[in-house]
Amino acid sequence: MASSRMWVSIFRSGENFQVRVGSYSSREEKVIRNRLNLDPAMSALERMDSYEDLRADDYFTAGEGELCFSCEEGRLVLLSELANELGFSVKDGQGFLPDQDNVQTTLVREGSFGDEIAHIVEENLPFYRRGYQALLKGLAIRLCVLIVLLIAGRLFFLAKSDHFTVRSFPAILHTLEIEYLPQNLLERFWKPAYSHRSLITLKHPLYIRGNKLILDGGYFVQLEGVQNLKASIEKRGDAPVSIRVDSREGKMRIASVHVGEDLLTHKGELKYLSRIPLSPLPLRLDPTSERVGYKKVSSADPKQEESFSWMLGKTISMICHVESDGDRFLASGADGEFKFAFVKDDIKENIREIIEMVVASGERAILDIRLESKAYPLRNRRNPRNQRRDLNIITGASLHFAQVQSAVMKNL
């Protein structure tokens, strides 16, 4: 052990110890400060020889150049180790320093505890602070997790998202003409094709009866799988109708029908029946108007010619009930007080089908017709079907326009 001019005095002060170090070299001062982890006490007073104003780990230099500090028993262990290493003498308080056996036992115990703490700290360091191998491994693990999450998210999106494109009915008919090319799993995952999945939204169909309706453009369709769409709409306060159609199999298969937020069905077929010739509203005029158009008729007496003679051979418009009478329809106004007859074969087939539905449902229609120039006889024995007295049929007519609900159909 090397000898040193440095000396140390140790005094007990309550639970702590007061230490005074003198005659040290600059190297020894540096070793003491580093090994004992001493911090300067800037507010310490040099005149306080009893060190009462010092906290543990604080020190100051006395007027004679002595290093003064306060410490606990643990730091005396380190001071005893320094005494053995530097070879300084202890003027006072030799008994406070632990012997070398206790010093080694304490240092080994604290060293193993420190190693364990260091190992725990190292194990809990972020992966990017443990070296390049841990960095690469950590990045690879996180990249794999990210890829799995992205794949799961993509699969969830494909399974749960609405992939039906809003299209008009003519556009849906066009998809029936396009061949659908099946996709494998990778194609469906990466770039799925939804060219044959369509969505129709109907706020106010032009005409609806049961599961048959007329769409914009006059497309007359039927929803198989739905019993009474009109009643479902009325029950839900005229909510809009959403129809999802899948045409991959060459037919318009129904994927779902919603009225508002309510699902009516998730199966069935949308069938295209025919194209109804639609028209803007014809010009409907009061009977006193001098303009050319369809004069509105609300009353007439089949037995009094002066009540209907002005309309013979003219075009008129009437709100009426329609009934079927063999090969003809009878349009009656004012609760059947007067009627006009028109032949079914003179009406276009698709319009005739709609009028038959009107007859079956008993709803009213607006008919724009041209009357024959001659009235039927009051009594007709040769042809009892055409007489005014018993049947209230004033004369025959030809149908120009028929309006049912919002659909105005042109028969000209």
Side-chain angles (χ1 to χ4, degrees), residues 2 26-27 30 40-41 55 66 69 78 125 133 183 203 250 254 262 291-292 319 354 366 397:
S26 59
R27 184 186 70 84
K30 184 176 181 180
R55 302 188 309 273
E66 297 174 358
F69 62 90
L78 298 177
L125 283 175
Q133 290 184 342
Q183 294 182 301
K203 292 185 178 180
I254 292 175
D262 297 337
R291 300 171 63 188
V292 176
I319 301 174
I354 301 296
I366 302 177

Side-chain angles (χ1 to χ4, degrees), residues 220-238:
F220 187 36
V221 300
Q222 179 178 357
L223 292 175
E224 290 192 350
V226 178
Q227 296 300 320
N228 194 336
L229 182 61
K230 182 176 177 63
S232 299
I233 294 174
E234 292 174 347
K235 181 180 179 181
R236 292 163 178 82
D238 293 331

